[in-house]
Amino acid sequence: MHELSVCLSLLDQVSSIAAEHRARRVTRIELAVGPLSGVEADLLRSAWPIACAGTIAVDAEFVVGESAIVVHCETCGAETPATANRLVCGACGDFRTRLASGDEMILQRVELDTG
């Protein structure tokens, strides 16, 4: 399960942010994970308590949202939603597309207790 190593890397990043702001603890972490990112959101949620045990983020609310798959059509220029097994343009139906989103994992928000 590589989600644990992803959580440990995320914890390093969050801990750095907390130290930079001299936070006493992390209260909330929000992520956006695309379906093509190679990370399973449910496994990430399961691995988080193991990764953050005994850290500044131990009691943080851990929110994982899923982002949509969007493709950019090289033929007509449209950006349209797509599915993982059908990355074609929703406007003209062409297969010459590039992924605009859906393969990312983004740390969107970190809330800290600095009091």
Side-chain angles (χ1 to χ4, degrees):
M1 174 167 81
H2 79 284
E3 279 75 6
L4 180 57
S5 62
V6 170
C7 284
L8 292 170
S9 294
L10 176 64
L11 183 60
D12 285 343
Q13 186 177 10
V14 168
S15 295
S16 292
I17 292 167
E20 180 181 324
H21 294 280
R22 296 186 178 123
R24 294 185 326 174
R25 64 189 186 98
V26 178
T27 58
R28 182 178 171 94
I29 299 165
E30 295 179 16
L31 298 176
V33 177
L36 301 176
S37 67
V39 176
E40 292 289 331
D42 289 337
L43 293 177
L44 202 62
R45 287 184 197 97
S46 297
W48 179 252
I50 297 165
C52 73
T55 70
I56 192 169
V58 68
D59 294 322
E61 182 181 1
F62 189 66
V63 180
V64 180
E66 295 188 29
S67 55
I69 299 172
V70 176
V71 294
H72 175 83
C73 182
E74 299 294 337
T75 302
C76 74
E79 284 200 358
T80 58
T83 59
N85 58 353
R86 190 160 165 79
L87 300 174
V88 297
C89 177
C92 72
D94 201 313
F95 67 91
R96 289 172 289 221
T97 61
R98 65 177 165 75
L99 203 57
S101 71
D103 63 345
E104 66 280 339
M105 184 177 95
I106 299 171
L107 176 58
Q108 291 183 309
R109 182 182 185 113
V110 177
E111 293 181 9
L112 306 170
D113 178 0
T114 57

